[in-house]
């Protein structure tokens, strides 16, 4: 390699390095900006982000389930077998959704609850092709799972949720 070719080669490599470095930096800056915007919204206020905004702060699996109404695999998710005391919050916006006190083993391989934490936590839509009604977070509108009417007493409901749509916050030890 001649000295000039080598110099040119180094120059090209340097440019590629700088431009990919810049786009990684601006991606990080943008996700930090959106995260800060989300953190600044009080918990009792609705969150209305575009899917483009959500993309910056969700993992691809979270995005697929929460924003594209996807479903994760049964028995191969984080919380289907969790029995600890605590609260399950929305993985997108942090809204408290379910208490571990209403969690039960439905045998389906998905985390299942017989009631949401409060009347305002989740929203049920009309019946879907699954035979249950779609459940979304009442604060940010993200897809969480479905509700069916074959649950245990006292409600007779089964809220079948995706683990990836939830974040478990362990209760402090008593
Ligand atoms: Zn939410």
């Amino acid at each position: 390699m001649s000295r000039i070719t080598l110099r040119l080669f180094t120059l090209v490599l340097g440019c590629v390095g700088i431009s990919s470095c810049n786009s990684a930096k601006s991606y990080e800056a943008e996700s930090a900006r959106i995260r800060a915007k989300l953190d600044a919204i009080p918990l009792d206020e609705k969150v209305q982000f575009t899917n483009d905004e959500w993309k910056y702060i969700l993992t691809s699996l979270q995005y697929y389930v929460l924003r594209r109404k996807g479903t994760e695999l049964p028995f191969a998710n984080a919380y289907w077998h969790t029995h600890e005391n605590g609260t399950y919050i929305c993985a997108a916006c942090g809204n408290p959704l379910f208490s571990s006190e209403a969690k039960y083993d439905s045998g389906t391989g998905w985390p299942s609850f017989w009631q949401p934490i409060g009347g305002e936590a989740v929203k049920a839509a009309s019946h879907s092709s699954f035979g249950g009604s779609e459940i979304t977070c009442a604060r940010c509108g993200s897809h969480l799972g479905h509700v069916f009417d074959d649950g245990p007493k006292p409600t007779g409901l089964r809220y079948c949720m995706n683990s990836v749509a939830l974040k478990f916050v362990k209760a402090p030890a008593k």
Side-chain angles (χ1 to χ4, degrees):
M1 220 184 268
S2 76
R3 193 172 277 183
I4 292 178
T5 321
L6 191 68
R7 206 172 272 173
L8 202 67
F9 187 66
T10 320
L11 196 71
V12 169
L13 263 192
C15 288
V16 170
I18 288 168
S19 68
S20 64
C21 203
N22 273 352
S23 68
K25 229 182 221 169
S26 65
Y27 185 91
E28 263 172 42
E30 189 59 4
S31 50
R33 189 186 68 79
I34 295 167
R35 221 168 262 291
K37 190 173 145 185
L38 178 62
D39 289 345
I41 304 172
L43 256 189
D44 59 353
E45 275 178 31
K46 299 250 187 286
V47 174
Q48 285 173 321
F49 282 4
T50 63
N51 276 341
D52 279 344
E53 288 178 299
W54 283 121
K55 253 182 207 165
Y56 276 101
I57 55 172
L58 299 177
T59 66
S60 45
L61 185 61
Q62 284 175 330
Y63 186 83
Y64 164 70
V65 171
L66 289 157
R67 306 307 307 176
R68 290 270 163 247
K69 305 181 194 291
T71 300
E72 67 191 2
L73 292 174
F75 302 103
N77 57 74
Y79 303 134
W80 74 275
H81 203 53
T82 302
H83 294 295
E84 286 172 293
N85 289 334
T87 305
Y88 293 83
I89 65 174
C90 173
C93 77
N95 188 26
L97 301 172
F98 296 96
S99 161
S100 58
E101 283 168 30
K103 192 174 189 290
Y104 73 101
D105 190 2
S106 64
T108 60
W110 285 289
S112 304
F113 305 85
W114 49 265
Q115 76 173 6
I117 213 161
E120 297 292 301
V122 302
K123 250 191 204 158
S126 53
H127 275 235
S128 73
S129 52
F130 281 84
S133 300
E134 187 198 355
I135 292 297
T136 54
C137 170
R139 182 170 181 243
C140 75
S142 292
H143 173 84
L144 303 169
H146 292 86
V147 63
F148 301 87
D149 56 9
D150 57 6
K153 285 178 182 176
T155 60
L157 296 172
R158 170 169 61 96
Y159 287 84
C160 185
M161 298 293 109
N162 287 284
S163 285
V164 77
L166 308 172
K167 227 178 251 174
F168 179 61
V169 182
K170 213 173 153 177
K174 280 174 195 164

